[in-house]
Amino acid sequence: MASAPFPPVAASAASVPPRLAPRHPFAAAAAARRPVLPLRSSAVVAANTLRCTHRRAVSPRSRRRAQGLGAASALAESVWGVGEGKGACLSCFPKSRRGRSGLARFAPCALPHASGLSFRSRLSGSKVRPSHILRAAGPDEPHVASPTWSDTSLDTSDMDHAISKEELEDVLNTPLPEHPKLIRGQLKNGLRYLILPNKVPANRFEAHMEVHVGSIDEEEDEQGIAHMIEHVAFLGSKKREKLLGTGARSNAYTDFHHTVFHIHSPTKTKFVLYFQEYGEDLLPSVLDALNEIAFHPKFSSSRVEKERRAILSELQMMNTIEYRVDCQLLQHLHSENKLSNRFPIGLEEQIHKWDPDKIRRFHERRYYPANATLYLVGEIDDIPRAVREIGAVFEHTHSENEGNLLPSSSPFGAMASLFAPKLPGGFAANLSGEKSPATDKIKPVKRERQAVRPPVEHKWSLPGVAQDAKPPAIFQHELIQSFSINMFCKIPVSKVQTYKDLRSVLMKRIFLSALHFRINTRYKSSNPPFTSVELDHSDSGREGCTVTTLTVTAEPQNWKSAIKVAVHEQHFFVLFQVRRLKEFGVTMGEMTRYMDALIKDSEQLAMMIDSVPSVDNLDFIMESDALGHTVMDQLQGHESLLAVAETVTLEEVNTVGAEVLEFISDFGKPNAPLPAAIVACVPRMVHVDGVGETEFEIYPEEITEAIKAGLEEPIYPEPELEVPKELITQLELDELKSQHKPSFVPLTKEENAVKVFDSETGIAQRRLSNGISVNYKITQNEARVGVMRLIVGGGRATEDSESKGSVIVGVRTLSEGGCVGNFSREQVELFCVNNLINCSLESNEEFIFMEFRFALRDNGMRAAFQLLHMVLEHNVWLEDAFDRATQLYLSYYRSIPKSLERSTAHKLMLAMLNHDERFVEPSPHSLQKLTLQSVKDAVMNQFVGGNMEVSIVGDFTEEEVESCVLDYLGTVRAASSPNTEERIEKISFRPFPSDVHFQEVYIKDTDERACAYIAGPAPNRWGFATEGNDLFNVIQRSDADAEISEPVNLDLTGKRRIDVRSHPLFFGITLSLLAEIINSRLFTTVRDSMGLTYDVSFELNLFDKLDLGWYVIAVTSTPSKVHKAVDACKGVLRGLHSSRIVERELDRAKRTLLMKHEAETKTNAYWLGLLAHLQSSSVPRKDVSCIKELTTLYESATIEDLYLAYEHLKVDDSSLFACIGIAGAESGEDTNDEEPDMDLHGMAPMGGRGVSTMTRPTT
């Protein structure tokens, strides 16, 4: 869909730490089993069965951040969901940016909010109000303004008279207002620059150099060379290395259409000496580093060889089945152009061959200022000075642009794609030949950026366009788990530059929101014909087109029924125009409902205009520029939404929406738009109950007939739903208060204080008479937005040998049902839509938690509390929801043997934790023993007053939050807290010796890959180890420590110091610093020096309640190198004694963690994590001091402290576990005596188009 030109508003990642880092299969498994209560705000238009995704090319960071969109982008992005993590720039980007649960993925919806244009008042005249946008001095090109300070927006007065159709059309053609703070300019050498002042995060800025060259610009013998240059230029830069000690972070990535080098930096270096602060501006150094990286790299033989090894390892790491599926989709979607065969990672056989000279020649052809754009976003107060700095650094780079001497070649030479005109059918792109001889004439050439990026031609799926229909393509592979079919429609990008463009985006948004809701709620049988239906209508800057995709996923045996159901639902809408029956298409109630939700959400986003992180603004501007959209801020976006909303009619909504899906609804009809491609991805073998493994057969003709049959199914009108305005009426609330008499009571028996308030942190603590603990913090981090988390102690650890999987399946069952009291799932979802509530329900090993994000307008907080009350008091358990939850985990378990990473991780966890199923997916045998009553009991036995803690953070008043707490939490029935500790069966690591401390997994695959996991015991966050040992009792202090008379003092820098070893967070702080240092050493040694891997990481899993933890090293490699990589990782892990930590390493680790902490304290969700367990009896060592002193604890930690904690990481042979996974055609047979079910087959979730083709970050 049009990525409407509005900037993003970030919604922070939720702060409950995942048990393992998201990129690990352990975490992937946890993520897959996270049930999400199907309640989503309109912005996210939530439901798991239909995900409308808006893809953006964004910078490839491993940061956990959710994108909320402002204004029109909100409109585009919330319906077409950046929150799903499908945005991402192609080449060096992790396959998915899995954020934390629940709140992490809230993407406020709605359109733009700020032009000030009223259609009724527009006709009476308007005043032009100048503002300031620096225009470029260079040529008049797309996205480059001209060189004066000017901009206009319309200041109007309201008039009530109606306007004619002609007058309306005139107004709709008015250009959208430009972002008032966005500065654009261009140097004489052609370098474009954009500057946007932004104060979040404070004292930092983003600098991104986008070079408009990517894999699409490569010739036949250069496939992957742009990505190689990215690696060599970035990692070979000495000036970039000089920034490492300043607190700056940097990375790079390559896509089809561009290469981006980015640096996230403090505005100044900062140090304190004798209570005086010193520092210097970092902008000049950052710009100098980007200049060297992009335009003056050193292609030394040693660096080229080092990065060659890294890229070859990266290629094998990326080559998952998801990657191969994505490649197939792109190959068929873009079969007519180079996008089908120019994946950024490149071809292995070519990567082996290039020498530094060939790489250098490609760089000389493509990397020059006129082919690049610099983006600066952050706390840049002095704009004129920043412009001067840009000129001083870059203006002399290739300043001889006009007369640059390049060898001319024949029109059929390798340079043809750069100089020759773009001819129909991609002729110019195919005119490559041998390099011209050295005797060719030399002539001056002016080099400019290609006008169209990427420079390819498409065959459009438009009505009446004559072209031959392509039969469905089938990709069959032994590692594919489920049946999926993808129908693609490809059309030109519609630039959003006028109110008419924006109006079209809004109408599509309404239509798709209604469609999404219908599909999500229609089929609730225990065995629905499809697993998921996803609709993606999105602009793609990286592909240069707008693509609509219908993806249907199903169990192989149900594929025909699934297709019929999916296409039938599309047909439901389109026939409104054909049959002209009022009951078909989007109903008036639906249009009113979603329009209202969009406006509410848009207003909320406009209020958050000053809370947008710089990187989100930058990513948004970069993609908007690539697509040609006008860039507005959130306020402009909202006002523009209001202006166009009043002109939208039901008939137009259905007309516009029908056009989006015409390639499906009119499939097979004359003159209908032909699908750009139909691609089915299917398994080779399927598991049939009672039969076993059976070959799966499918033919293109069957797929075509199934689609046509689905379009012939009878259709019925859509009934209107009654949407509740409240879940608890005032009369019902009064009765509850009279019955329960809610009140606040003293927090502890020892103290009489009914409220504890810490003025330094702003944290308030309360306790209700029914035993529920409450923590809250008032903050203006996000204007008129609140977040809330309920934490219930117990989690999967309470499962016993007879109820394995009961908690996780029970939580999923409750989520799948989605009903509360007498309200249906549909009604509850629409209640959330109307009140802008986003909600998730999840469980992990220690806790069950429910999270909410809500808008503090129109009683949004009371609505969220009502929903929480209803879940606690009037939850509904449905048999069909239990069946779906059971089937989901059964399918997920059966898919494990088809994933190299997951099967390797699964085997390691079972070995390390003595086959304890509470830490892995429940097995089919365990699932068969569960009943609806058993899973209900397992969950609800934990939902008792003394075992529940609720934390709330947001822009509310004390009166507002305490009123809601008393009314809706205080009226929850009281119950005594069970002694969950006594019900937790013993958790222990497998003792040594055993034959499973080192294992291998083999998977049959057409391509070779390898990975490994190394793990071992660690203490939990609060210093407890297995068997309940309190490590604080065994810490031996040095004589120097014993002489410390005061726990707190000041050093020469004026910083406050704490005796870290006596603090409850000693292990949490020191182990986190150790993890940063070990990660750095793993990269330097195993990847950079030894060339054994592209990706290696060390992650800690520190529990809060359970008396244990563990660490995991994950490494990818090749089958021939993976054993050496494992040995090298062990060497780094055990080498901290022989190669001691130095102050420089510790300082860098401190800066990294402190910067992250400082940035995240500006988000509500992070504060939820800090508030967690403040009053929990199962985490007795946590109190407010752990939050107040966090920064000081990091600053006070010493190298000796780290070594003291390191002694309790078990890294010896008797404690360490390792498992190596190898995939390939010649892999040996893996025997798994412990898991006889592991060869079962089933469904595994697949990524969206192109997601897996993104290569990983350079660092």
Side-chain angles (χ1 to χ4, degrees), residues 389-453:
E389 296 283 3
I390 293 171
V393 172
F394 292 100
E395 63 184 0
H396 300 299
T397 296
H398 297 187
S399 58
E400 70 283 4
N401 190 20
E402 292 281 344
N404 192 25
L405 298 182
L406 293 173
S408 68
S409 54
S410 118
F412 300 94
M415 301 293 288
S417 63
L418 181 62
F419 299 119
K422 300 302 168 198
L423 302 178
F427 177 61
N430 293 318
L431 297 181
S432 59
E434 295 302 319
K435 192 180 84 170
S436 58
T439 56
D440 281 355
K441 296 180 180 179
I442 302 297
K443 65 179 182 180
V445 178
K446 180 176 180 178
R447 301 191 295 177
E448 296 178 351
R449 183 179 61 167
Q450 291 160 319
V452 177
R453 299 291 303 163

Side-chain angles (χ1 to χ4, degrees), residues 14 46 116 237 421 453 493 589 621 624 707 861 918 1021 1126 1218 1252 1256:
S237 170
R453 299 291 303 163
V493 173
I621 293 168
S624 296
I707 296 172
M861 182 160 67
R918 288 172 290 182
R1021 195 183 319 277
V1126 168
S1252 300
R1256 277 34 175 187

Side-chain angles (χ1 to χ4, degrees), residues 248-270:
R249 302 192 302 272
S250 56
N251 220 317
Y253 60 99
T254 308
D255 202 341
F256 282 130
H257 66 305
H258 66 189
T259 301
V260 179
F261 306 99
H262 56 86
I263 298 176
H264 173 76
S265 172
T267 53
K268 294 183 178 181
T269 58
K270 185 191 302 183

Side-chain angles (χ1 to χ4, degrees), residues 55-61 85-97 213-216 218 227 230 252-260 314 318 323 326-327 330 334 338-346 454 540-543 622-623 1094 1248-1258:
R55 275 188 196 86
R56 299 193 308 163
V58 294
S59 68
R61 308 228 174 156
K86 285 197 174 184
C89 276
L90 189 60
S91 176
C92 289
F93 192 83
K95 186 177 85 173
S96 66
R97 289 181 295 170
V213 56
S215 59
I216 201 68
E218 299 163 350
H227 182 224
E230 171 224 310
Y253 60 99
T254 308
D255 202 341
F256 282 130
H257 66 305
H258 66 189
T259 301
V260 179
E314 178 186 5
M318 288 180 60
Y323 173 83
D326 280 344
C327 288
L330 288 169
H334 300 298
K338 289 171 68 176
L339 289 169
S340 64
N341 56 23
R342 285 294 188 277
F343 302 121
I345 191 65
S540 174
R542 51 189 285 260
E543 295 166 89
M622 184 183 294
E623 178 71 354
Y1094 178 80
R1249 183 186 86 252
V1251 173
S1252 300
T1253 59
M1254 303 168 188
T1255 60
R1256 277 34 175 187
T1258 302

Side-chain angles (χ1 to χ4, degrees), residues 72-193:
S73 86
L75 159 89
E77 300 236 24
S78 55
V79 190
W80 307 299
V82 171
E84 292 295 341
K86 285 197 174 184
C89 276
L90 189 60
S91 176
C92 289
F93 192 83
K95 186 177 85 173
S96 66
R97 289 181 295 170
R98 283 188 288 265
R100 303 189 186 217
S101 57
L103 299 169
R105 288 307 177 204
F106 175 81
C109 83
L111 253 42
H113 178 153
S115 81
L117 177 66
S118 165
F119 286 128
R120 283 179 288 188
S121 61
R122 165 74 172 85
L123 301 175
S124 62
S126 62
K127 299 176 182 178
V128 176
R129 174 173 77 230
S131 47
H132 304 289
I133 290 189
L134 181 62
R135 302 203 169 191
D140 186 12
E141 296 183 7
H143 322 311
V144 179
S146 56
T148 58
W149 295 86
S150 70
D151 184 29
T152 61
S153 61
L154 295 169
D155 192 6
T156 63
S157 57
D158 288 335
M159 292 187 65
D160 294 328
H161 66 273
I163 63 176
S164 67
K165 185 176 181 179
E166 292 75 16
E167 290 172 325
L168 175 61
E169 189 70 18
D170 178 60
V171 174
L172 288 173
N173 287 326
T174 303
L176 292 167
E178 293 272 0
H179 196 303
K181 295 182 180 180
L182 183 62
I183 308 302
R184 297 175 184 265
Q186 182 172 318
L187 300 180
K188 292 180 180 180
N189 60 9
L191 177 70
R192 299 161 184 81
Y193 59 84

Side-chain angles (χ1 to χ4, degrees), residues 192-228:
R192 299 161 184 81
Y193 59 84
L194 291 89
I195 305 174
L196 178 66
N198 196 71
K199 294 189 178 294
V200 179
N203 304 314
R204 300 191 72 83
F205 68 93
E206 297 282 340
H208 290 213
M209 177 63 75
E210 178 187 26
V211 185
H212 303 286
V213 56
S215 59
I216 201 68
D217 301 294
E218 299 163 350
E219 299 299 336
E220 286 297 326
D221 62 342
E222 298 172 332
Q223 295 184 54
I225 202 166
H227 182 224
M228 170 70 84

